[in-house]
Amino acid sequence: MRDLNNLADIIEQWILREMSHEQDEIIILRRNEMAEELDCAPSQISYVLSTRFTIERGFIVESRRGSGGFVRIARIPVQTLVYQDAANQMDDSMSLADLKAIVTHLRSHNLMTSREAALIYKCFSILHERLEPKERIPLLKSLLLTLATQNE
């Protein structure tokens, strides 16, 4: 019998190898066919997908069960994760200085240009002055996430 950690490594490496063949870094697999090829149970593949192909590791996994079921795995660009993390840090209690610190952090890691940073900060300033926190935070998050998708 194979060591379960070793089997998880084998499954992970197989999936990563399949992803390396795709230019858009999205693959669609059939769990049962994959289990048959790797000589393991479909539940072992599910375990690897849920523990090693997480958002924190830069992946999105969509799974459909049943006879027409599939697993779609997509790699998320790292910068998108950083922008999402920055957006998740925003809450109603944030000061303008806190918002500026987020922009400064993104700029210092070359995730936005100086021009983008100036525009975003100006938008943050205007929204901070004119809107209540409950109204401005969703808009501020939206601005950041829009910039994330435009920089890919």
Side-chain angles (χ1 to χ4, degrees), residues 6 16 64 71 76 79 87-88 90 92 104-105 118-120 133:
N6 188 31
L16 291 172
R64 302 247 195 251
V71 176
I76 307 169
Q79 76 178 39
N88 290 338
M90 294 180 170
D92 295 350
T104 301
H105 173 76
L119 287 170
I120 290 290

Side-chain angles (χ1 to χ4, degrees), residues 105-125:
H105 173 76
L106 293 170
R107 175 65 193 117
S108 70
H109 287 85
N110 296 319
L111 294 171
M112 66 173 61
T113 65
S114 296
R115 186 177 195 181
E116 290 168 337
L119 287 170
I120 290 290
Y121 183 66
K122 185 63 175 175
C123 288
F124 282 9
S125 298

Side-chain angles (χ1 to χ4, degrees), residues 7-143:
L7 178 58
D9 292 340
I10 291 168
I11 294 168
E12 178 183 21
Q13 290 306 309
W14 189 91
I15 293 170
L16 291 172
R17 197 170 30 259
E18 290 296 310
M19 287 192 89
S20 72
H21 300 300
E22 299 298 321
Q23 283 192 309
D24 58 0
E25 298 201 50
I26 296 174
I27 59 170
I28 299 174
L29 306 168
R30 300 232 181 263
R31 191 183 335 260
N32 288 339
E33 292 170 13
M34 192 174 149
E36 199 172 294
E37 185 172 332
L38 294 171
D39 192 29
C40 65
S43 62
Q44 291 168 309
I45 293 168
S46 296
Y47 170 78
V48 171
L49 291 171
S50 66
T51 59
R52 299 193 181 190
F53 291 86
T54 63
I55 288 179
E56 294 79 20
R57 290 184 169 196
F59 297 94
I60 293 179
V61 176
E62 178 186 1
S63 182
R64 302 247 195 251
R65 296 190 183 268
S67 60
F70 64 89
V71 176
R72 179 182 300 134
I73 306 168
R75 190 181 305 262
I76 307 169
V78 172
Q79 76 178 39
T80 300
L81 291 174
V82 174
Y83 275 97
Q84 287 173 339
D85 183 55
N88 290 338
Q89 291 177 32
M90 294 180 170
D91 63 30
D92 295 350
S93 67
M94 293 196 84
S95 68
L96 192 54
D98 295 332
L99 295 170
K100 185 174 185 174
I102 289 173
V103 173
T104 301
H105 173 76
L106 293 170
R107 175 65 193 117
S108 70
H109 287 85
N110 296 319
L111 294 171
M112 66 173 61
T113 65
S114 296
R115 186 177 195 181
E116 290 168 337
L119 287 170
I120 290 290
Y121 183 66
K122 185 63 175 175
C123 288
F124 282 9
S125 298
I126 291 168
L127 292 173
H128 199 271
E129 290 172 10
R130 298 185 182 177
L131 296 176
E132 292 298 316
K134 294 257 187 253
E135 295 173 306
R136 79 173 161 249
I137 295 301
L139 291 172
L140 297 174
K141 287 181 178 187
S142 177
L143 278 171

